[in-house]
Amino acid sequence: MAHSYEIKVELTKDSQLAKVDFNNLKFGQILSDHMLVADYDDGEWKEVKIVPYANLSLSPATSALHYGQAIFEGIKAYKFEDGRVSIFRPDRNFDRFNKSAVRLEMPEVPREIFMDGLKKLIDIDRSFVPPTTGASLYIRPFMFGTEPALGVHPSKSYKFVIITGPVGAYYNKPLRVKVETYFTRAAAGGVGFSKNAGNYALSLYPTRLAQDEGFDQLIWTDAKEHKYIEEAGTANLVFMLGDTLITPGSETVLQGVTRHSIMDLAKSWGIKTETRDVSVQELIEGIETGKVSEAFAAGTAATLTPISEIGYEGKIYKLSDPATREFSNKVLDYLNQLRYGKVEDPFGWNFIVG
Ligand code: COI
């Protein structure tokens, strides 16, 4: 039987809303007035509250800081022209969050806390959802082990928190990406599919090396042979190869909600789709022969960001002008119309807050 959790609310007396310039939003720099905090201890979720955004107080021995039990999600909410606020497919993020929790030996967060808490928090901070097309409210649920203990064992206590903030584009230009053939993001049997903090920490050094060479991001490859394409770390990868939309199917990549939605839309438009292994060789040959007509990164933060150039073994492979890409432009336009409530929602992807 579903447990019901009372969500206590304490509203801020010091709103930051007036300081927000909705016409000049970057990614992840502004945070809304409130946050949801739920504490887990002694085998159960105890207190769930929405409180003014504020620092947390933590013991220096907090287990997540030492052994990395830390997971998160990325979700977006949009404002319709009639003022209603809608969250895009949060049920998918809820499911993925708990898959990450299980893999990291953390407790699952009950639906009543995640989904009801999300809805209530977004409703309270609805004025932070940008009214501008192209902008949205980024929602960051996360959980970490809080037990102050230095032994290596699963934390006995956890904090689940949701913070939000109005954002613009994560990437504001087409990407130059480098195929990484030495460093590894994830191996079979590991945690690549989960959205845990460590996956992002390990990407920073190899990404910086690629940025020093003038690239924006990496294309990670498989851990064993570095022959198969995985994901970009900040987003999934999708290619139009001939008449087929393909995306890497490895168990080690994050099961992206945006990617999934794009593949579903393509299918519904009669386009062939494949989720399967994609070798670097197939991609490079496809670019050289003109078979690869489109390549893009797909993610909640990244939305759909075109890839303009791919670096591999010292050579740069240029792709078509993003402005001329038929599928990418059509699917992004449709997704935007759907998310901002400008077209019908035949798939039931919009979770209306009200
Ligand atoms: C998201 O797309 O929401 C993510 O969590 C990726 C992160 C690089 C911002």
Short mmCIF file of all heavy atoms in Angstrom, two decimals, residues 27 72 74 138 140 170 195 200 234 299-302, ligand 1:
data_model
loop_
_atom_site.label_atom_id
_atom_site.label_comp_id
_atom_site.label_asym_id
_atom_site.label_seq_id
_atom_site.Cartn_x
_atom_site.Cartn_y
_atom_site.Cartn_z
N PHE A 27 23.20 28.51 -18.11
CA PHE A 27 22.78 27.23 -17.54
C PHE A 27 23.28 27.08 -16.10
O PHE A 27 24.50 27.17 -15.85
CB PHE A 27 23.31 26.04 -18.38
CG PHE A 27 22.82 24.73 -17.84
CD1 PHE A 27 21.61 24.21 -18.25
CD2 PHE A 27 23.53 24.04 -16.86
CE1 PHE A 27 21.12 23.02 -17.71
CE2 PHE A 27 23.05 22.85 -16.32
CZ PHE A 27 21.85 22.35 -16.76
N PHE A 72 21.92 11.65 -9.18
CA PHE A 72 21.09 12.82 -9.48
C PHE A 72 20.27 12.59 -10.74
O PHE A 72 20.40 11.57 -11.41
CB PHE A 72 21.95 14.09 -9.58
CG PHE A 72 22.85 14.16 -10.78
CD1 PHE A 72 22.47 14.84 -11.91
CD2 PHE A 72 24.12 13.56 -10.76
CE1 PHE A 72 23.31 14.93 -13.02
CE2 PHE A 72 24.97 13.65 -11.86
CZ PHE A 72 24.56 14.33 -13.00
N GLY A 74 18.21 15.05 -14.10
CA GLY A 74 18.02 16.35 -14.74
C GLY A 74 16.67 16.32 -15.45
O GLY A 74 16.40 15.40 -16.23
N TYR A 138 15.16 24.24 -15.00
CA TYR A 138 15.91 22.99 -14.84
C TYR A 138 15.69 22.46 -13.43
O TYR A 138 15.75 23.22 -12.45
CB TYR A 138 17.40 23.24 -15.09
CG TYR A 138 18.21 21.96 -15.12
CD1 TYR A 138 18.10 21.09 -16.20
CD2 TYR A 138 19.05 21.62 -14.07
CE1 TYR A 138 18.83 19.91 -16.24
CE2 TYR A 138 19.78 20.44 -14.11
CZ TYR A 138 19.67 19.59 -15.20
OH TYR A 138 20.39 18.41 -15.23
N ARG A 140 16.79 19.66 -10.60
CA ARG A 140 17.89 18.77 -10.22
C ARG A 140 17.55 18.01 -8.92
O ARG A 140 17.81 18.48 -7.82
CB ARG A 140 19.16 19.60 -10.06
CG ARG A 140 20.38 18.88 -9.52
CD ARG A 140 20.75 17.63 -10.26
NE ARG A 140 21.12 17.79 -11.65
CZ ARG A 140 22.34 18.09 -12.10
NH1 ARG A 140 23.32 18.31 -11.25
NH2 ARG A 140 22.58 18.14 -13.40
N TYR A 170 22.31 24.89 -22.70
CA TYR A 170 23.54 24.35 -22.11
C TYR A 170 24.68 24.56 -23.10
O TYR A 170 25.78 24.97 -22.73
CB TYR A 170 23.36 22.87 -21.82
CG TYR A 170 24.47 22.27 -20.99
CD1 TYR A 170 24.46 22.36 -19.60
CD2 TYR A 170 25.53 21.60 -21.59
CE1 TYR A 170 25.47 21.82 -18.84
CE2 TYR A 170 26.55 21.05 -20.84
CZ TYR A 170 26.52 21.16 -19.46
OH TYR A 170 27.53 20.63 -18.70
N LYS A 195 23.09 7.45 -13.09
CA LYS A 195 23.45 8.86 -13.12
C LYS A 195 24.06 9.18 -11.75
O LYS A 195 23.44 9.78 -10.87
CB LYS A 195 22.19 9.70 -13.39
CG LYS A 195 22.50 11.00 -14.10
CD LYS A 195 21.28 11.56 -14.78
CE LYS A 195 21.51 12.98 -15.24
NZ LYS A 195 22.56 13.17 -16.24
N TYR A 200 30.58 11.71 -13.77
CA TYR A 200 30.87 13.06 -14.26
C TYR A 200 32.26 13.50 -13.80
O TYR A 200 33.01 14.12 -14.57
CB TYR A 200 29.75 14.02 -13.80
CG TYR A 200 28.45 13.59 -14.45
CD1 TYR A 200 27.69 12.55 -13.92
CD2 TYR A 200 28.04 14.15 -15.65
CE1 TYR A 200 26.55 12.09 -14.56
CE2 TYR A 200 26.89 13.71 -16.29
CZ TYR A 200 26.16 12.67 -15.74
OH TYR A 200 25.03 12.21 -16.39
N THR A 234 27.87 14.30 -21.33
CA THR A 234 26.83 15.26 -20.95
C THR A 234 25.53 14.98 -21.70
O THR A 234 24.52 15.62 -21.43
CB THR A 234 27.27 16.70 -21.26
OG1 THR A 234 27.74 16.73 -22.61
CG2 THR A 234 28.35 17.18 -20.33
N GLY A 299 20.05 15.40 -24.85
CA GLY A 299 19.99 15.29 -23.39
C GLY A 299 19.04 16.32 -22.84
O GLY A 299 18.62 17.23 -23.55
N THR A 300 18.72 16.20 -21.55
CA THR A 300 17.81 17.18 -20.95
C THR A 300 18.45 18.56 -20.98
O THR A 300 17.85 19.52 -21.47
CB THR A 300 17.48 16.76 -19.50
OG1 THR A 300 16.85 15.49 -19.54
CG2 THR A 300 16.57 17.77 -18.82
N ALA A 301 19.68 18.65 -20.50
CA ALA A 301 20.35 19.96 -20.50
C ALA A 301 20.70 20.37 -21.93
O ALA A 301 20.46 21.50 -22.34
CB ALA A 301 21.60 19.90 -19.64
N ALA A 302 21.25 19.43 -22.70
CA ALA A 302 21.72 19.74 -24.06
C ALA A 302 20.58 19.90 -25.06
O ALA A 302 20.80 20.41 -26.15
CB ALA A 302 22.66 18.64 -24.53
C1 COI B 1 21.08 16.66 -17.91
O1 COI B 1 21.06 16.65 -19.14
O2 COI B 1 20.11 17.01 -17.25
C2 COI B 1 22.27 16.28 -17.17
O3 COI B 1 22.17 15.93 -16.05
C3 COI B 1 23.60 16.38 -17.82
C4 COI B 1 24.50 17.34 -17.15
C5 COI B 1 25.71 17.43 -17.97
C6 COI B 1 23.93 18.70 -16.97
#
